[in-house]
Amino acid sequence: MKRTTAREIAVQLGFFASASERPVSEIIEEFFDEEYYATLAAEDELFAEFPDDKQKAYIVRLTNLVEDYRIQIDKYIEKYSTGWKVSRISKTAIAVLRCAICEILYMDDIPNSAAINEAVELSKGYDEPETVAFINGVLGGFMRGEFAECGELPEKE
C-alpha cells in the first residue's frame, strides 16, 4: 500500500470521526478488524489491501494527532478560510484540511510540500473544483501566514 492510499484512509477515518460522537480509538479498533476491513474492500477499491504495520502505524498516528490537536487545527482553518466557520465547510474538505495541517505541524517525517500536494490531489476525487481551489487556498494561506517570518517556507527533512 502506498502512502497516498494510507493518507486517504486516514482522511476517511477523520471524516467518520467528525460525523460520530465516538472516540477515534474506538473507531480505529473497529475499522482495522480484518473481517470488517474485508467487507469494506468488497465495496471500495481503496480498501483492497490491508495496511502493513508501517502504513497502519502512520494512519493511526495521523488520525490520533488530528483528534488530539483538532481545536488548534480548526482555529488555523478558520483563520485562513476567510469568512468561513468550520461548521460551514464540507466534512470531506475539513477532513482533508485537518490531515494536511496536522502533517505540516506535527509530523516531521512528512515534507510540507507532500502534505499540501497530496491534500489537493486527494480532494479532487471527492470535491468540486471550487472546493479543491478552496483547500489549496487555505493551505497556501496557512503556509504563508504561519511561516512568513522565516523568510521562506520551511521544508522538513
Side-chain angles (χ1 to χ4, degrees):
M1 170 181 296
K2 293 182 179 182
R3 173 69 58 98
T4 300
T5 304
R7 184 177 280 109
E8 186 170 0
I9 290 171
V11 167
Q12 292 255 342
L13 284 170
F15 177 86
F16 296 142
S18 71
S20 170
E21 296 297 318
R22 297 169 46 213
V24 165
S25 58
E26 189 179 294
I27 293 168
I28 288 170
E29 183 179 327
E30 194 174 277
F31 186 81
F32 286 115
D33 174 79
E34 291 201 35
E35 280 185 40
Y36 176 73
Y37 198 90
T39 65
L40 296 174
E43 297 173 20
D44 190 333
E45 187 179 306
L46 175 66
F47 306 106
E49 183 181 347
F50 193 83
D52 64 21
D53 290 342
K54 181 179 176 183
Q55 296 302 342
K56 184 178 175 185
Y58 162 79
I59 294 165
V60 169
R61 180 174 163 225
L62 177 55
T63 307
N64 282 326
L65 282 168
V66 167
E67 179 181 55
D68 292 346
Y69 294 102
R70 185 183 52 79
I71 292 169
Q72 295 92 321
I73 293 168
D74 284 358
K75 285 180 182 178
Y76 284 120
I77 293 169
E78 284 192 0
K79 180 178 179 179
Y80 293 103
S81 62
T82 311
W84 287 80
K85 296 277 186 206
V86 167
S87 60
R88 288 188 55 221
I89 301 170
S90 78
K91 290 196 185 314
T92 305
I94 284 296
V96 169
L97 286 165
R98 284 176 176 159
C99 284
I101 290 174
C102 182
E103 286 181 323
I104 292 165
L105 292 174
Y106 307 112
M107 298 179 78
D108 291 338
D109 57 324
I110 308 295
N112 294 338
S113 59
I116 294 168
N117 291 337
E118 290 283 334
V120 171
E121 289 303 312
L122 180 59
S123 67
K124 289 178 182 178
Y126 292 98
D127 289 307
E128 299 297 319
E130 297 81 16
T131 305
V132 174
F134 172 79
I135 289 169
N136 191 38
V138 170
L139 294 174
F142 168 74
M143 291 302 292
R144 287 186 301 278
E146 297 306 312
F147 300 107
E149 67 275 0
C150 299
E152 60 183 59
L153 298 180
E155 192 57 54
K156 297 175 284 212
E157 298 297 319

PDB file of all heavy atoms in Angstrom, residues 71-107:
ATOM      1  N   ILE A  71      -8.755  21.156  17.931  1.00  0.00           N
ATOM      2  CA  ILE A  71      -9.142  22.539  18.256  1.00  0.00           C
ATOM      3  C   ILE A  71      -8.140  23.525  17.658  1.00  0.00           C
ATOM      4  O   ILE A  71      -8.534  24.505  17.018  1.00  0.00           O
ATOM      5  CB  ILE A  71      -9.288  22.725  19.781  1.00  0.00           C
ATOM      6  CG1 ILE A  71     -10.490  21.914  20.276  1.00  0.00           C
ATOM      7  CG2 ILE A  71      -9.438  24.204  20.146  1.00  0.00           C
ATOM      8  CD1 ILE A  71     -10.595  21.803  21.778  1.00  0.00           C
ATOM      9  N   GLN A  72      -6.848  23.261  17.835  1.00  0.00           N
ATOM     10  CA  GLN A  72      -5.826  24.148  17.275  1.00  0.00           C
ATOM     11  C   GLN A  72      -5.859  24.140  15.746  1.00  0.00           C
ATOM     12  O   GLN A  72      -5.762  25.193  15.112  1.00  0.00           O
ATOM     13  CB  GLN A  72      -4.411  23.736  17.747  1.00  0.00           C
ATOM     14  CG  GLN A  72      -4.192  23.881  19.224  1.00  0.00           C
ATOM     15  CD  GLN A  72      -4.499  22.604  20.011  1.00  0.00           C
ATOM     16  OE1 GLN A  72      -5.454  21.883  19.728  1.00  0.00           O
ATOM     17  NE2 GLN A  72      -3.691  22.325  21.012  1.00  0.00           N
ATOM     18  N   ILE A  73      -6.001  22.962  15.170  1.00  0.00           N
ATOM     19  CA  ILE A  73      -6.056  22.842  13.710  1.00  0.00           C
ATOM     20  C   ILE A  73      -7.267  23.596  13.164  1.00  0.00           C
ATOM     21  O   ILE A  73      -7.154  24.335  12.180  1.00  0.00           O
ATOM     22  CB  ILE A  73      -6.069  21.358  13.281  1.00  0.00           C
ATOM     23  CG1 ILE A  73      -4.725  20.695  13.615  1.00  0.00           C
ATOM     24  CG2 ILE A  73      -6.390  21.215  11.798  1.00  0.00           C
ATOM     25  CD1 ILE A  73      -4.732  19.171  13.504  1.00  0.00           C
ATOM     26  N   ASP A  74      -8.407  23.439  13.808  1.00  0.00           N
ATOM     27  CA  ASP A  74      -9.617  24.121  13.354  1.00  0.00           C
ATOM     28  C   ASP A  74      -9.480  25.638  13.446  1.00  0.00           C
ATOM     29  O   ASP A  74     -10.023  26.369  12.609  1.00  0.00           O
ATOM     30  CB  ASP A  74     -10.839  23.642  14.123  1.00  0.00           C
ATOM     31  CG  ASP A  74     -11.315  22.261  13.681  1.00  0.00           C
ATOM     32  OD1 ASP A  74     -10.719  21.695  12.743  1.00  0.00           O
ATOM     33  OD2 ASP A  74     -12.275  21.760  14.288  1.00  0.00           O
ATOM     34  N   LYS A  75      -8.750  26.128  14.426  1.00  0.00           N
ATOM     35  CA  LYS A  75      -8.505  27.584  14.522  1.00  0.00           C
ATOM     36  C   LYS A  75      -7.708  28.063  13.314  1.00  0.00           C
ATOM     37  O   LYS A  75      -7.985  29.137  12.771  1.00  0.00           O
ATOM     38  CB  LYS A  75      -7.778  27.925  15.823  1.00  0.00           C
ATOM     39  CG  LYS A  75      -8.681  27.855  17.032  1.00  0.00           C
ATOM     40  CD  LYS A  75      -7.930  28.191  18.307  1.00  0.00           C
ATOM     41  CE  LYS A  75      -8.857  28.052  19.506  1.00  0.00           C
ATOM     42  NZ  LYS A  75      -8.158  28.320  20.770  1.00  0.00           N
ATOM     43  N   TYR A  76      -6.726  27.289  12.889  1.00  0.00           N
ATOM     44  CA  TYR A  76      -5.965  27.646  11.684  1.00  0.00           C
ATOM     45  C   TYR A  76      -6.868  27.623  10.454  1.00  0.00           C
ATOM     46  O   TYR A  76      -6.795  28.504   9.599  1.00  0.00           O
ATOM     47  CB  TYR A  76      -4.783  26.702  11.463  1.00  0.00           C
ATOM     48  CG  TYR A  76      -3.614  26.956  12.367  1.00  0.00           C
ATOM     49  CD1 TYR A  76      -3.162  25.969  13.244  1.00  0.00           C
ATOM     50  CD2 TYR A  76      -2.920  28.167  12.337  1.00  0.00           C
ATOM     51  CE1 TYR A  76      -2.074  26.192  14.068  1.00  0.00           C
ATOM     52  CE2 TYR A  76      -1.836  28.397  13.159  1.00  0.00           C
ATOM     53  CZ  TYR A  76      -1.415  27.401  14.025  1.00  0.00           C
ATOM     54  OH  TYR A  76      -0.329  27.628  14.831  1.00  0.00           O
ATOM     55  N   ILE A  77      -7.715  26.609  10.357  1.00  0.00           N
ATOM     56  CA  ILE A  77      -8.618  26.515   9.207  1.00  0.00           C
ATOM     57  C   ILE A  77      -9.526  27.738   9.154  1.00  0.00           C
ATOM     58  O   ILE A  77      -9.678  28.357   8.089  1.00  0.00           O
ATOM     59  CB  ILE A  77      -9.433  25.199   9.236  1.00  0.00           C
ATOM     60  CG1 ILE A  77      -8.505  23.995   9.032  1.00  0.00           C
ATOM     61  CG2 ILE A  77     -10.531  25.218   8.167  1.00  0.00           C
ATOM     62  CD1 ILE A  77      -9.153  22.644   9.290  1.00  0.00           C
ATOM     63  N   GLU A  78     -10.107  28.108  10.275  1.00  0.00           N
ATOM     64  CA  GLU A  78     -10.982  29.290  10.292  1.00  0.00           C
ATOM     65  C   GLU A  78     -10.211  30.564   9.986  1.00  0.00           C
ATOM     66  O   GLU A  78     -10.701  31.436   9.272  1.00  0.00           O
ATOM     67  CB  GLU A  78     -11.709  29.398  11.634  1.00  0.00           C
ATOM     68  CG  GLU A  78     -12.848  28.401  11.728  1.00  0.00           C
ATOM     69  CD  GLU A  78     -13.779  28.635  12.900  1.00  0.00           C
ATOM     70  OE1 GLU A  78     -13.579  29.582  13.685  1.00  0.00           O
ATOM     71  OE2 GLU A  78     -14.732  27.842  13.025  1.00  0.00           O
ATOM     72  N   LYS A  79      -8.987  30.659  10.490  1.00  0.00           N
ATOM     73  CA  LYS A  79      -8.164  31.854  10.251  1.00  0.00           C
ATOM     74  C   LYS A  79      -7.875  32.035   8.765  1.00  0.00           C
ATOM     75  O   LYS A  79      -7.907  33.157   8.250  1.00  0.00           O
ATOM     76  CB  LYS A  79      -6.854  31.736  11.036  1.00  0.00           C
ATOM     77  CG  LYS A  79      -5.923  32.919  10.876  1.00  0.00           C
ATOM     78  CD  LYS A  79      -4.685  32.723  11.737  1.00  0.00           C
ATOM     79  CE  LYS A  79      -3.712  33.887  11.586  1.00  0.00           C
ATOM     80  NZ  LYS A  79      -2.520  33.695  12.441  1.00  0.00           N
ATOM     81  N   TYR A  80      -7.589  30.942   8.067  1.00  0.00           N
ATOM     82  CA  TYR A  80      -7.178  31.039   6.663  1.00  0.00           C
ATOM     83  C   TYR A  80      -8.294  30.726   5.663  1.00  0.00           C
ATOM     84  O   TYR A  80      -8.059  30.760   4.464  1.00  0.00           O
ATOM     85  CB  TYR A  80      -5.937  30.175   6.423  1.00  0.00           C
ATOM     86  CG  TYR A  80      -4.765  30.758   7.177  1.00  0.00           C
ATOM     87  CD1 TYR A  80      -4.319  30.205   8.365  1.00  0.00           C
ATOM     88  CD2 TYR A  80      -4.158  31.928   6.733  1.00  0.00           C
ATOM     89  CE1 TYR A  80      -3.285  30.773   9.075  1.00  0.00           C
ATOM     90  CE2 TYR A  80      -3.116  32.509   7.435  1.00  0.00           C
ATOM     91  CZ  TYR A  80      -2.689  31.930   8.603  1.00  0.00           C
ATOM     92  OH  TYR A  80      -1.666  32.520   9.316  1.00  0.00           O
ATOM     93  N   SER A  81      -9.482  30.459   6.142  1.00  0.00           N
ATOM     94  CA  SER A  81     -10.631  30.295   5.241  1.00  0.00           C
ATOM     95  C   SER A  81     -11.540  31.498   5.434  1.00  0.00           C
ATOM     96  O   SER A  81     -12.713  31.358   5.736  1.00  0.00           O
ATOM     97  CB  SER A  81     -11.366  28.987   5.523  1.00  0.00           C
ATOM     98  OG  SER A  81     -11.876  28.985   6.841  1.00  0.00           O
ATOM     99  N   THR A  82     -10.980  32.620   5.223  1.00  0.00           N
ATOM    100  CA  THR A  82     -11.592  33.916   5.476  1.00  0.00           C
ATOM    101  C   THR A  82     -13.109  33.901   5.300  1.00  0.00           C
ATOM    102  O   THR A  82     -13.623  33.607   4.217  1.00  0.00           O
ATOM    103  CB  THR A  82     -10.977  34.980   4.549  1.00  0.00           C
ATOM    104  OG1 THR A  82      -9.561  34.863   4.615  1.00  0.00           O
ATOM    105  CG2 THR A  82     -11.396  36.374   4.943  1.00  0.00           C
ATOM    106  N   GLY A  83     -13.791  34.203   6.408  1.00  0.00           N
ATOM    107  CA  GLY A  83     -15.244  34.299   6.359  1.00  0.00           C
ATOM    108  C   GLY A  83     -15.981  32.980   6.508  1.00  0.00           C
ATOM    109  O   GLY A  83     -17.202  32.964   6.488  1.00  0.00           O
ATOM    110  N   TRP A  84     -15.270  31.888   6.654  1.00  0.00           N
ATOM    111  CA  TRP A  84     -15.912  30.583   6.768  1.00  0.00           C
ATOM    112  C   TRP A  84     -15.697  30.011   8.163  1.00  0.00           C
ATOM    113  O   TRP A  84     -14.581  30.005   8.674  1.00  0.00           O
ATOM    114  CB  TRP A  84     -15.320  29.598   5.754  1.00  0.00           C
ATOM    115  CG  TRP A  84     -15.744  29.853   4.363  1.00  0.00           C
ATOM    116  CD1 TRP A  84     -15.239  30.789   3.509  1.00  0.00           C
ATOM    117  CD2 TRP A  84     -16.758  29.162   3.645  1.00  0.00           C
ATOM    118  NE1 TRP A  84     -15.875  30.724   2.307  1.00  0.00           N
ATOM    119  CE2 TRP A  84     -16.820  29.729   2.358  1.00  0.00           C
ATOM    120  CE3 TRP A  84     -17.615  28.125   3.960  1.00  0.00           C
ATOM    121  CZ2 TRP A  84     -17.710  29.284   1.405  1.00  0.00           C
ATOM    122  CZ3 TRP A  84     -18.496  27.683   3.000  1.00  0.00           C
ATOM    123  CH2 TRP A  84     -18.535  28.269   1.732  1.00  0.00           C
ATOM    124  N   LYS A  85     -16.737  29.507   8.756  1.00  0.00           N
ATOM    125  CA  LYS A  85     -16.653  28.750  10.001  1.00  0.00           C
ATOM    126  C   LYS A  85     -16.463  27.286   9.618  1.00  0.00           C
ATOM    127  O   LYS A  85     -16.954  26.839   8.580  1.00  0.00           O
ATOM    128  CB  LYS A  85     -17.937  28.890  10.828  1.00  0.00           C
ATOM    129  CG  LYS A  85     -18.198  30.289  11.301  1.00  0.00           C
ATOM    130  CD  LYS A  85     -17.407  30.549  12.543  1.00  0.00           C
ATOM    131  CE  LYS A  85     -17.758  31.902  13.125  1.00  0.00           C
ATOM    132  NZ  LYS A  85     -16.681  32.442  13.898  1.00  0.00           N
ATOM    133  N   VAL A  86     -15.766  26.543  10.454  1.00  0.00           N
ATOM    134  CA  VAL A  86     -15.543  25.117  10.189  1.00  0.00           C
ATOM    135  C   VAL A  86     -16.872  24.400   9.966  1.00  0.00           C
ATOM    136  O   VAL A  86     -16.973  23.535   9.098  1.00  0.00           O
ATOM    137  CB  VAL A  86     -14.732  24.470  11.336  1.00  0.00           C
ATOM    138  CG1 VAL A  86     -14.747  22.960  11.248  1.00  0.00           C
ATOM    139  CG2 VAL A  86     -13.300  24.987  11.320  1.00  0.00           C
ATOM    140  N   SER A  87     -17.888  24.787  10.694  1.00  0.00           N
ATOM    141  CA  SER A  87     -19.191  24.126  10.575  1.00  0.00           C
ATOM    142  C   SER A  87     -19.837  24.316   9.202  1.00  0.00           C
ATOM    143  O   SER A  87     -20.707  23.536   8.814  1.00  0.00           O
ATOM    144  CB  SER A  87     -20.137  24.625  11.667  1.00  0.00           C
ATOM    145  OG  SER A  87     -20.332  26.019  11.545  1.00  0.00           O
ATOM    146  N   ARG A  88     -19.404  25.317   8.433  1.00  0.00           N
ATOM    147  CA  ARG A  88     -19.981  25.574   7.102  1.00  0.00           C
ATOM    148  C   ARG A  88     -19.198  24.879   5.980  1.00  0.00           C
ATOM    149  O   ARG A  88     -19.644  24.850   4.835  1.00  0.00           O
ATOM    150  CB  ARG A  88     -20.003  27.081   6.825  1.00  0.00           C
ATOM    151  CG  ARG A  88     -21.044  27.808   7.664  1.00  0.00           C
ATOM    152  CD  ARG A  88     -21.198  29.253   7.249  1.00  0.00           C
ATOM    153  NE  ARG A  88     -21.498  29.387   5.837  1.00  0.00           N
ATOM    154  CZ  ARG A  88     -20.958  30.324   5.047  1.00  0.00           C
ATOM    155  NH1 ARG A  88     -20.115  31.204   5.531  1.00  0.00           N
ATOM    156  NH2 ARG A  88     -21.291  30.396   3.784  1.00  0.00           N
ATOM    157  N   ILE A  89     -18.029  24.379   6.288  1.00  0.00           N
ATOM    158  CA  ILE A  89     -17.180  23.733   5.282  1.00  0.00           C
ATOM    159  C   ILE A  89     -17.569  22.251   5.212  1.00  0.00           C
ATOM    160  O   ILE A  89     -17.855  21.632   6.233  1.00  0.00           O
ATOM    161  CB  ILE A  89     -15.690  23.902   5.652  1.00  0.00           C
ATOM    162  CG1 ILE A  89     -15.336  25.396   5.749  1.00  0.00           C
ATOM    163  CG2 ILE A  89     -14.794  23.201   4.635  1.00  0.00           C
ATOM    164  CD1 ILE A  89     -13.967  25.674   6.344  1.00  0.00           C
ATOM    165  N   SER A  90     -17.564  21.688   4.012  1.00  0.00           N
ATOM    166  CA  SER A  90     -17.955  20.281   3.875  1.00  0.00           C
ATOM    167  C   SER A  90     -17.082  19.391   4.755  1.00  0.00           C
ATOM    168  O   SER A  90     -15.902  19.663   4.973  1.00  0.00           O
ATOM    169  CB  SER A  90     -17.849  19.826   2.411  1.00  0.00           C
ATOM    170  OG  SER A  90     -16.508  19.559   2.062  1.00  0.00           O
ATOM    171  N   LYS A  91     -17.689  18.327   5.250  1.00  0.00           N
ATOM    172  CA  LYS A  91     -16.964  17.405   6.138  1.00  0.00           C
ATOM    173  C   LYS A  91     -15.763  16.771   5.434  1.00  0.00           C
ATOM    174  O   LYS A  91     -14.740  16.518   6.048  1.00  0.00           O
ATOM    175  CB  LYS A  91     -17.907  16.343   6.691  1.00  0.00           C
ATOM    176  CG  LYS A  91     -18.898  16.901   7.687  1.00  0.00           C
ATOM    177  CD  LYS A  91     -19.543  15.800   8.478  1.00  0.00           C
ATOM    178  CE  LYS A  91     -20.623  16.268   9.409  1.00  0.00           C
ATOM    179  NZ  LYS A  91     -20.352  17.416  10.203  1.00  0.00           N
ATOM    180  N   THR A  92     -15.893  16.542   4.143  1.00  0.00           N
ATOM    181  CA  THR A  92     -14.774  15.979   3.385  1.00  0.00           C
ATOM    182  C   THR A  92     -13.628  16.978   3.322  1.00  0.00           C
ATOM    183  O   THR A  92     -12.477  16.623   3.579  1.00  0.00           O
ATOM    184  CB  THR A  92     -15.219  15.593   1.963  1.00  0.00           C
ATOM    185  OG1 THR A  92     -16.336  14.723   2.046  1.00  0.00           O
ATOM    186  CG2 THR A  92     -14.103  14.916   1.210  1.00  0.00           C
ATOM    187  N   ALA A  93     -13.930  18.226   2.990  1.00  0.00           N
ATOM    188  CA  ALA A  93     -12.894  19.254   2.913  1.00  0.00           C
ATOM    189  C   ALA A  93     -12.240  19.461   4.270  1.00  0.00           C
ATOM    190  O   ALA A  93     -11.008  19.611   4.357  1.00  0.00           O
ATOM    191  CB  ALA A  93     -13.475  20.565   2.392  1.00  0.00           C
ATOM    192  N   ILE A  94     -13.027  19.441   5.331  1.00  0.00           N
ATOM    193  CA  ILE A  94     -12.467  19.589   6.682  1.00  0.00           C
ATOM    194  C   ILE A  94     -11.530  18.432   6.994  1.00  0.00           C
ATOM    195  O   ILE A  94     -10.445  18.630   7.543  1.00  0.00           O
ATOM    196  CB  ILE A  94     -13.598  19.686   7.738  1.00  0.00           C
ATOM    197  CG1 ILE A  94     -14.222  21.059   7.690  1.00  0.00           C
ATOM    198  CG2 ILE A  94     -13.096  19.389   9.139  1.00  0.00           C
ATOM    199  CD1 ILE A  94     -13.291  22.195   8.058  1.00  0.00           C
ATOM    200  N   ALA A  95     -11.927  17.217   6.666  1.00  0.00           N
ATOM    201  CA  ALA A  95     -11.077  16.054   6.944  1.00  0.00           C
ATOM    202  C   ALA A  95      -9.748  16.166   6.197  1.00  0.00           C
ATOM    203  O   ALA A  95      -8.681  15.886   6.760  1.00  0.00           O
ATOM    204  CB  ALA A  95     -11.805  14.761   6.570  1.00  0.00           C
ATOM    205  N   VAL A  96      -9.799  16.604   4.941  1.00  0.00           N
ATOM    206  CA  VAL A  96      -8.572  16.774   4.144  1.00  0.00           C
ATOM    207  C   VAL A  96      -7.700  17.875   4.752  1.00  0.00           C
ATOM    208  O   VAL A  96      -6.493  17.692   4.934  1.00  0.00           O
ATOM    209  CB  VAL A  96      -8.915  17.088   2.671  1.00  0.00           C
ATOM    210  CG1 VAL A  96      -7.684  17.517   1.895  1.00  0.00           C
ATOM    211  CG2 VAL A  96      -9.573  15.880   2.005  1.00  0.00           C
ATOM    212  N   LEU A  97      -8.302  19.019   5.068  1.00  0.00           N
ATOM    213  CA  LEU A  97      -7.548  20.134   5.644  1.00  0.00           C
ATOM    214  C   LEU A  97      -6.934  19.766   6.990  1.00  0.00           C
ATOM    215  O   LEU A  97      -5.769  20.093   7.269  1.00  0.00           O
ATOM    216  CB  LEU A  97      -8.445  21.366   5.799  1.00  0.00           C
ATOM    217  CG  LEU A  97      -8.777  22.105   4.509  1.00  0.00           C
ATOM    218  CD1 LEU A  97      -9.944  23.068   4.725  1.00  0.00           C
ATOM    219  CD2 LEU A  97      -7.549  22.851   3.994  1.00  0.00           C
ATOM    220  N   ARG A  98      -7.702  19.099   7.826  1.00  0.00           N
ATOM    221  CA  ARG A  98      -7.169  18.695   9.141  1.00  0.00           C
ATOM    222  C   ARG A  98      -5.959  17.794   9.003  1.00  0.00           C
ATOM    223  O   ARG A  98      -4.956  17.976   9.696  1.00  0.00           O
ATOM    224  CB  ARG A  98      -8.253  17.996   9.960  1.00  0.00           C
ATOM    225  CG  ARG A  98      -9.278  18.931  10.546  1.00  0.00           C
ATOM    226  CD  ARG A  98     -10.375  18.169  11.269  1.00  0.00           C
ATOM    227  NE  ARG A  98     -11.315  19.088  11.903  1.00  0.00           N
ATOM    228  CZ  ARG A  98     -12.550  18.756  12.244  1.00  0.00           C
ATOM    229  NH1 ARG A  98     -13.012  17.532  12.013  1.00  0.00           N
ATOM    230  NH2 ARG A  98     -13.334  19.647  12.820  1.00  0.00           N
ATOM    231  N   CYS A  99      -6.045  16.815   8.110  1.00  0.00           N
ATOM    232  CA  CYS A  99      -4.910  15.901   7.926  1.00  0.00           C
ATOM    233  C   CYS A  99      -3.683  16.642   7.399  1.00  0.00           C
ATOM    234  O   CYS A  99      -2.575  16.439   7.894  1.00  0.00           O
ATOM    235  CB  CYS A  99      -5.291  14.750   6.994  1.00  0.00           C
ATOM    236  SG  CYS A  99      -6.329  13.503   7.790  1.00  0.00           S
ATOM    237  N   ALA A 100      -3.873  17.507   6.413  1.00  0.00           N
ATOM    238  CA  ALA A 100      -2.735  18.228   5.828  1.00  0.00           C
ATOM    239  C   ALA A 100      -2.073  19.152   6.850  1.00  0.00           C
ATOM    240  O   ALA A 100      -0.847  19.153   6.992  1.00  0.00           O
ATOM    241  CB  ALA A 100      -3.185  19.023   4.606  1.00  0.00           C
ATOM    242  N   ILE A 101      -2.873  19.927   7.560  1.00  0.00           N
ATOM    243  CA  ILE A 101      -2.301  20.851   8.548  1.00  0.00           C
ATOM    244  C   ILE A 101      -1.640  20.071   9.681  1.00  0.00           C
ATOM    245  O   ILE A 101      -0.573  20.450  10.171  1.00  0.00           O
ATOM    246  CB  ILE A 101      -3.373  21.843   9.052  1.00  0.00           C
ATOM    247  CG1 ILE A 101      -3.726  22.805   7.905  1.00  0.00           C
ATOM    248  CG2 ILE A 101      -2.886  22.605  10.282  1.00  0.00           C
ATOM    249  CD1 ILE A 101      -4.873  23.753   8.198  1.00  0.00           C
ATOM    250  N   CYS A 102      -2.230  18.962  10.065  1.00  0.00           N
ATOM    251  CA  CYS A 102      -1.632  18.108  11.088  1.00  0.00           C
ATOM    252  C   CYS A 102      -0.274  17.584  10.640  1.00  0.00           C
ATOM    253  O   CYS A 102       0.694  17.624  11.397  1.00  0.00           O
ATOM    254  CB  CYS A 102      -2.571  16.952  11.413  1.00  0.00           C
ATOM    255  SG  CYS A 102      -1.954  15.874  12.716  1.00  0.00           S
ATOM    256  N   GLU A 103      -0.195  17.111   9.401  1.00  0.00           N
ATOM    257  CA  GLU A 103       1.088  16.614   8.890  1.00  0.00           C
ATOM    258  C   GLU A 103       2.137  17.723   8.886  1.00  0.00           C
ATOM    259  O   GLU A 103       3.285  17.500   9.247  1.00  0.00           O
ATOM    260  CB  GLU A 103       0.921  16.051   7.476  1.00  0.00           C
ATOM    261  CG  GLU A 103       0.229  14.715   7.446  1.00  0.00           C
ATOM    262  CD  GLU A 103       0.078  14.154   6.043  1.00  0.00           C
ATOM    263  OE1 GLU A 103      -0.161  14.927   5.096  1.00  0.00           O
ATOM    264  OE2 GLU A 103       0.210  12.930   5.902  1.00  0.00           O
ATOM    265  N   ILE A 104       1.741  18.929   8.498  1.00  0.00           N
ATOM    266  CA  ILE A 104       2.676  20.051   8.443  1.00  0.00           C
ATOM    267  C   ILE A 104       3.174  20.411   9.846  1.00  0.00           C
ATOM    268  O   ILE A 104       4.378  20.614  10.050  1.00  0.00           O
ATOM    269  CB  ILE A 104       2.018  21.271   7.762  1.00  0.00           C
ATOM    270  CG1 ILE A 104       1.783  20.979   6.275  1.00  0.00           C
ATOM    271  CG2 ILE A 104       2.868  22.529   7.942  1.00  0.00           C
ATOM    272  CD1 ILE A 104       0.824  21.933   5.583  1.00  0.00           C
ATOM    273  N   LEU A 105       2.272  20.473  10.785  1.00  0.00           N
ATOM    274  CA  LEU A 105       2.634  20.942  12.126  1.00  0.00           C
ATOM    275  C   LEU A 105       3.250  19.873  13.026  1.00  0.00           C
ATOM    276  O   LEU A 105       4.142  20.183  13.822  1.00  0.00           O
ATOM    277  CB  LEU A 105       1.403  21.520  12.830  1.00  0.00           C
ATOM    278  CG  LEU A 105       0.832  22.812  12.273  1.00  0.00           C
ATOM    279  CD1 LEU A 105      -0.463  23.164  13.003  1.00  0.00           C
ATOM    280  CD2 LEU A 105       1.844  23.942  12.393  1.00  0.00           C
ATOM    281  N   TYR A 106       2.776  18.654  12.937  1.00  0.00           N
ATOM    282  CA  TYR A 106       3.104  17.669  13.962  1.00  0.00           C
ATOM    283  C   TYR A 106       3.809  16.404  13.465  1.00  0.00           C
ATOM    284  O   TYR A 106       4.119  15.537  14.274  1.00  0.00           O
ATOM    285  CB  TYR A 106       1.832  17.264  14.713  1.00  0.00           C
ATOM    286  CG  TYR A 106       1.073  18.449  15.248  1.00  0.00           C
ATOM    287  CD1 TYR A 106      -0.176  18.790  14.737  1.00  0.00           C
ATOM    288  CD2 TYR A 106       1.613  19.252  16.249  1.00  0.00           C
ATOM    289  CE1 TYR A 106      -0.876  19.889  15.224  1.00  0.00           C
ATOM    290  CE2 TYR A 106       0.927  20.359  16.738  1.00  0.00           C
ATOM    291  CZ  TYR A 106      -0.318  20.668  16.219  1.00  0.00           C
ATOM    292  OH  TYR A 106      -1.002  21.754  16.697  1.00  0.00           O
ATOM    293  N   MET A 107       4.046  16.299  12.156  1.00  0.00           N
ATOM    294  CA  MET A 107       4.679  15.087  11.637  1.00  0.00           C
ATOM    295  C   MET A 107       5.936  15.472  10.853  1.00  0.00           C
ATOM    296  O   MET A 107       5.865  15.713   9.651  1.00  0.00           O
ATOM    297  CB  MET A 107       3.685  14.294  10.782  1.00  0.00           C
ATOM    298  CG  MET A 107       2.476  13.822  11.586  1.00  0.00           C
ATOM    299  SD  MET A 107       1.253  12.895  10.620  1.00  0.00           S
ATOM    300  CE  MET A 107       2.070  11.299  10.514  1.00  0.00           C
TER     301      MET A 107
END
